[in-house]
Amino acid sequence: MNILLFGFMASGKSTVAKILSKKLDMDYIEMDNIIEKEANMSISEIFAEKGEKHFRMLEKNLSKKLSDSDNLIISTGGGVITDEENIANLIKNGMAFSLMVSPENVIKRTKNSAHRPLLNTKDRKKQIENLLRERNPYYEKTGYVINTNIFTPEKVAGIIIEKFKGTI
Ligand code: S3P
């Protein structure tokens, strides 16, 4: 059984995945890192040179491949969730958690980051609010919801471990 971390950009998926990996002695993978390695390009380069549609195709292929994996902590990209086939493939052998975050915290946490192509827009605040509005229903219906605005990453990991251990 895998542990799946869903959530918006800057919701803390990678940080929590690393903590979980140590505490549970399980390997963790970052879907975006695998896509970058396989394409030999950064996510920003893929978006700029091949377009978002191409990136979504790579994301879809990887979700398919991961449906056969086991015993992994999988940190997903923030947009994986909007495709039903991705969700079906990933949750086939995974317990899903959704890390929820407020627009204010996303704005704060991404202030100095330039590696997220979807946020390189004129009005970043508006873009974050719009994407969150669109995606929150998907996060909410897919995973066990955890509010990262009120918990530290350590605490979030603790909640996940408790839930995960209770069901395996
Ligand atoms: C995206 C989130 C990013 C990355 C890509 C698209 C999204 O991952 O996959 O830039 O659509 O929300 P993180 O959630 O790890 O930032």
Side-chain angles (χ1 to χ4, degrees), residues 2-3 27 32 36 38 51 53 58-59 65-66 74 86-87 99 117 121 126 143 157 159 164:
N2 296 320
I3 293 181
D27 288 334
D32 281 349
E36 287 181 323
E38 286 182 353
K53 222 171 162 185
L58 300 177
E59 207 172 37
K65 270 195 227 163
L66 287 173
I74 303 177
N86 289 349
I87 299 175
L99 309 193
T121 53
K126 192 104 235 117
I159 294 170
F164 184 64

Side-chain angles (χ1 to χ4, degrees), residues 65-133:
K65 270 195 227 163
L66 287 173
S67 67
D68 289 327
S69 65
D70 195 16
N71 222 27
L72 285 177
I73 293 154
I74 303 177
S75 176
T76 64
V80 161
I81 198 86
T82 53
D83 183 286
E84 270 182 29
E85 210 180 308
N86 289 349
I87 299 175
N89 278 320
L90 289 168
I91 64 172
K92 208 177 99 190
N93 191 34
M95 184 165 182
F97 296 88
S98 291
L99 309 193
M100 307 305 286
V101 64
S102 67
E104 293 75 23
N105 274 333
V106 177
I107 292 164
K108 236 190 271 167
R109 295 177 196 174
T110 60
K111 212 169 62 196
N112 299 314
S113 103
H115 70 277
R116 291 185 170 98
L118 287 181
L119 299 186
N120 293 337
T121 53
K122 254 200 232 137
D123 192 343
R124 186 179 273 205
K125 181 168 177 284
K126 192 104 235 117
Q127 170 79 337
I128 289 169
E129 285 168 355
N130 287 341
L131 283 173
L132 270 173
R133 196 172 312 116

Side-chain angles (χ1 to χ4, degrees), residues 1-6 12-31 34 66 69-76 90 93-95 97 99 157 160-161 164:
M1 169 87 86
N2 296 320
I3 293 181
L4 296 164
L5 300 181
F6 292 115
K13 291 166 291 185
S14 308
T15 310
V16 171
K18 282 177 205 154
I19 299 171
L20 287 173
S21 172
K22 263 200 200 139
K23 292 201 166 169
L24 292 170
D25 196 23
M26 281 165 75
D27 288 334
Y28 98 89
I29 58 162
E30 191 84 54
M31 285 183 69
I34 296 177
L66 287 173
S69 65
D70 195 16
N71 222 27
L72 285 177
I73 293 154
I74 303 177
S75 176
T76 64
L90 289 168
N93 191 34
M95 184 165 182
F97 296 88
L99 309 193
I160 293 173
I161 290 170
F164 184 64

Side-chain angles (χ1 to χ4, degrees), residues 9 13 32 43 47 55-56 59 77-79 116-118 135:
M9 293 173 263
K13 291 166 291 185
D32 281 349
I43 300 292
F47 268 73
F55 171 76
R56 297 298 171 200
E59 207 172 37
R116 291 185 170 98
L118 287 181
R135 290 177 178 177

